[in-house]
Amino acid sequence: MYTGKQIHRYAGIRNTRFAVFVFILYLSSFILSSCGTPAPAALTPPFSAPFVLGTRDPNTLPTPTATVTATETLTLTPTAPPTATLTATLPPDLTSGPSPTGSADPPLAIARPQYTIYATIDYDGHTAAVDEGIVYPNQTGVTLNELVLAVEPMLYNDAFHMTSLFINGFETTNYVLDTHRLTVPLPQPLPPGTQVTLTIQYDLNIPFKQKANTFGWLSYQTSLTEWYPFVVPYDAASGWILHDYWAFGEHLVYDSSDFDVNIRFTDPSNPPIIAAPAPAEANGEWTRFRLYGARAFVLSMSREFLYSESAVGPVIIRSYYFSGHEAAGEKVLYVAKQAVAIYEAKFAPYPYQTLSVVELNYNDGQEYDGLAFLADSFYAQYDGGAQNNLATIGVHEIAHNWWFGLVGSDQALEPWLDEAMALYSEHIFYEFNYPYLVDWWWQFRVNYFGPSGWVDTTIYNGGTFRAYTNAVYLNGGTFIDDIRVRIGDEDFFRFLKAYAGQMSYRRATAADFFAILRQSTSKDVSDLISAYFANLH
């Protein structure tokens, strides 16, 4: 455990540029609150998340690999950029500026947390120097005396070094960083309907990437996942939601947030290609990415990336892959277009501006907002067509943009809400694009492994990885299909749209899921709930 004072002995503001960053970020929160923006209605807090499912080579025995995934048109449009964008006014090259005065928290001017990040990356040295600003609006309905942030790089040896922390423009050493939990007492209580600004300066020693992880560097690729501190959700009943790491499944829960991320490289003469979840914009010496209404912001970088691009309406889709995997990379692009089109029709409009699908040396697939990773073994094994892990796991991860990104949940305690929904989204993809392969899909993805166990299994009580996925993913998908058969297609697809619409940018619970289901049909499903769920009788 490290206290703020212990860390501060080795800290120091890198230069006065950061002091100006701190001041302008805090000043911007006042500008936002005074420009006539009405305070948004408080969000009702439910829960949030993503994860990993068993895959197999059709020519081999099943192996315990992990996967991730999640996800007619309802009137829902992707969130527009805020009228006042914080980083538009942040000049990182200034060398002097006034000192902040006053410490009162400004009234609420934003609907969700905003993250402004400037990261200078030494790609070959595997380090990054980061200046991060967070404007956090208290939408919890209760007065907060502290903030709790997840700092996932702390789970890796010597990866994270924080050098300074400011609250509303004033530096503080009153915090505790313990494992991946950063607790920041506030100098004064934060009432509902007000907001607070944090600014953090830290260095990353990017770890060498292990196959089971997405975060880290290889000689030819670096991926930044869960790489910045973020404020975890607060629940009035249970407090701050930050679960312990577990060997499988996802333990993190997120609020929907807005991101303004600026990247530059120490060697601008030989930069890598960046695969990102948002369009790249020029911002002086920086490359800027803005992503709105997302759970997380991730990047993958390589000088060896090849990529193909297409679009579904206004949504730009890119497939990033490596030499020798061109056919597989093109197939990923094709099925991604098919998936976005059908999921937009059956769930809700795609919630972001772009979608990137990225090849990675990894065991399976992993979803994030606007970006999904797929195992390089899927690309290497690709033999044409749609009867393979490349297609099934690919559309699973893409579906998580709806069931994780748009509709969040607690993926540690209620992982079925995104994983079972993502798995069944695969069925919907094949049903409408390759109907002659639906029986194959059931055998390849579900029945082969033997779905069994309680659908409401958590990542902590699931036993083995195989037992966990058989329950949460496979039996969860079987449950959703049984619901569909019971209530009929018309009610079922009306439910999917209603669920996506009512829970957009929120954190859903099982109670929300079943309440909206009951609103969508007159059929009784209580016997199905009793048959599949241990704790929902």
Side-chain angles (χ1 to χ4, degrees):
M1 180 191 301
Y2 298 95
T3 65
K5 288 183 179 179
Q6 288 171 321
I7 293 177
H8 188 68
R9 287 184 303 168
Y10 304 100
I13 295 176
R14 265 188 284 266
N15 50 46
T16 54
R17 190 200 79 198
F18 182 69
V20 177
F21 176 91
V22 171
F23 171 67
I24 297 181
L25 183 69
Y26 179 50
L27 182 63
S28 296
S29 68
F30 277 106
I31 294 172
L32 280 171
S33 64
S34 62
C35 67
T37 304
L43 302 178
T44 304
F47 278 159
S48 99
F51 169 40
V52 219
L53 189 198
T55 63
R56 70 182 177 96
D57 182 332
N59 300 313
T60 65
L61 294 175
T63 55
T65 55
T67 294
V68 203
T69 341
T71 139
E72 252 153 126
T73 336
L74 129 108
T75 305
L76 174 70
T77 55
T79 305
T83 53
T85 303
L86 290 181
T87 49
T89 61
L90 292 176
D93 293 325
L94 289 180
T95 56
S96 62
S99 299
T101 57
S103 60
D105 299 310
L108 203 62
I110 57 175
R112 51 189 174 229
Q114 292 190 346
Y115 293 83
T116 301
I117 296 174
Y118 282 87
T120 301
I121 298 172
D122 183 344
Y123 181 78
D124 297 302
H126 317 301
T127 63
V130 186
D131 297 344
E132 176 181 351
I134 305 170
V135 181
Y136 178 80
N138 184 359
Q139 300 272 32
T140 66
V142 301
T143 296
L144 300 174
N145 295 309
E146 65 180 15
L147 297 182
V148 171
L149 290 79
V151 187
E152 293 301 289
M154 287 292 294
L155 298 175
Y156 300 82
N157 183 45
D158 197 40
F160 183 87
H161 297 274
M162 186 161 73
T163 55
S164 64
L165 172 65
F166 289 73
I167 303 174
N168 287 345
F170 290 90
E171 188 170 15
T172 180
T173 58
N174 183 25
Y175 58 83
V176 176
L177 182 54
D178 185 9
T179 62
H180 65 151
R181 184 184 187 98
L182 172 60
T183 302
V184 182
L186 298 174
Q188 56 191 27
L190 185 70
T194 62
Q195 61 194 41
V196 63
T197 299
L198 300 184
T199 43
I200 311 171
Q201 187 179 51
Y202 53 96
D203 296 313
L204 292 177
N205 290 322
I206 303 168
F208 181 77
K209 199 191 90 61
Q210 304 298 318
K211 186 146 189 175
N213 302 329
T214 55
F215 179 48
W217 65 271
L218 298 168
S219 61
Y220 59 91
Q221 185 179 12
T222 295
S223 297
L224 298 182
T225 60
E226 314 297 358
W227 56 288
Y228 53 86
F230 67 91
V231 182
V232 300
Y234 183 88
D235 180 78
S238 58
W240 296 102
I241 307 172
L242 179 56
H243 302 304
D244 292 335
Y245 170 82
W246 195 245
F248 52 77
E250 283 94 27
H251 64 281
L252 291 172
V253 186
Y254 314 80
D255 281 328
S256 185
S257 302
D258 296 335
F259 296 89
D260 191 329
V261 177
N262 296 263
I263 302 293
R264 69 179 178 184
F265 296 98
T266 55
D267 181 7
S269 66
N270 190 25
I273 295 170
I274 300 175
E281 308 172 37
N283 187 21
E285 64 184 313
W286 307 83
T287 300
R288 180 185 196 183
F289 303 92
R290 289 185 281 185
L291 181 67
Y292 301 101
R295 308 290 166 174
F297 188 99
V298 305
L299 297 166
S300 189
M301 300 165 281
S302 176
R303 295 189 180 107
E304 299 180 28
F305 271 147
L306 304 175
Y307 68 90
S308 299
E309 179 179 303
S310 190
V312 175
V315 179
I316 302 300
I317 301 175
R318 291 191 179 95
S319 171
Y320 293 84
Y321 48 90
F322 295 103
S323 178
H325 295 163
E326 288 83 354
E330 292 291 343
K331 183 63 176 182
V332 167
L333 182 67
Y334 184 70
V335 298
K337 289 172 57 181
Q338 291 178 304
V340 169
I342 192 61
Y343 296 158
E344 283 201 319
K346 297 301 180 183
F347 308 155
Y350 180 75
Y352 314 114
Q353 292 178 276
T354 63
L355 169 63
S356 296
V357 185
V358 183
E359 180 178 355
L360 184 68
N361 180 246
Y362 187 55
N363 290 327
D364 211 322
Q366 179 66 51
E367 80 283 356
Y368 296 96
D369 308 79
L371 189 148
F373 291 108
L374 293 178
D376 52 5
S377 61
F378 299 165
Y379 291 77
Q381 296 164 2
Y382 175 68
D383 57 359
Q387 293 175 266
N388 47 62
N389 285 323
L390 187 73
T392 58
I393 306 303
V395 301
H396 177 101
E397 306 307 337
I398 291 167
H400 274 302
N401 287 285
W402 286 265
W403 318 128
F404 159 68
L406 182 64
V407 178
S409 57
D410 187 322
Q411 51 195 13
L413 302 186
E414 295 187 307
W416 72 272
L417 283 170
D418 74 305
E419 294 303 348
M421 289 290 279
L423 180 106
Y424 196 75
S425 296
E426 297 176 40
H427 178 284
I428 293 171
F429 169 84
Y430 278 92
E431 173 186 359
F432 286 96
N433 290 289
Y434 304 95
Y436 56 92
L437 294 180
V438 169
D439 289 345
W440 167 86
W441 177 85
W442 275 111
Q443 178 59 28
F444 181 74
R445 287 287 282 153
V446 182
N447 296 335
Y448 178 88
F449 294 100
S452 61
W454 297 114
V455 172
D456 52 345
T457 296
T458 75
I459 67 171
Y460 304 109
N461 68 0
T464 66
F465 172 77
R466 182 73 268 155
Y468 166 76
T469 54
N470 282 358
V472 170
Y473 287 77
L474 308 186
N475 227 23
T478 304
F479 163 73
I480 292 172
D481 191 61
D482 283 353
I483 288 286
R484 179 179 177 180
V485 171
R486 171 71 57 84
I487 70 177
D489 279 8
E490 183 177 352
D491 285 357
F492 179 73
F493 286 108
R494 177 168 55 247
F495 160 68
L496 292 182
K497 289 186 177 183
Y499 182 59
Q502 293 183 40
M503 300 311 300
S504 289
Y505 307 109
R506 298 170 63 189
R507 288 175 286 113
T509 65
D512 296 314
F513 181 96
F514 289 112
I516 296 170
L517 177 62
R518 292 186 175 104
Q519 294 169 8
S520 304
T521 184
S522 60
K523 301 290 176 45
D524 181 19
V525 298
S526 57
D527 60 319
L528 294 177
I529 296 173
S530 296
Y532 282 97
F533 289 81
N535 302 303
L536 294 178
H537 301 296

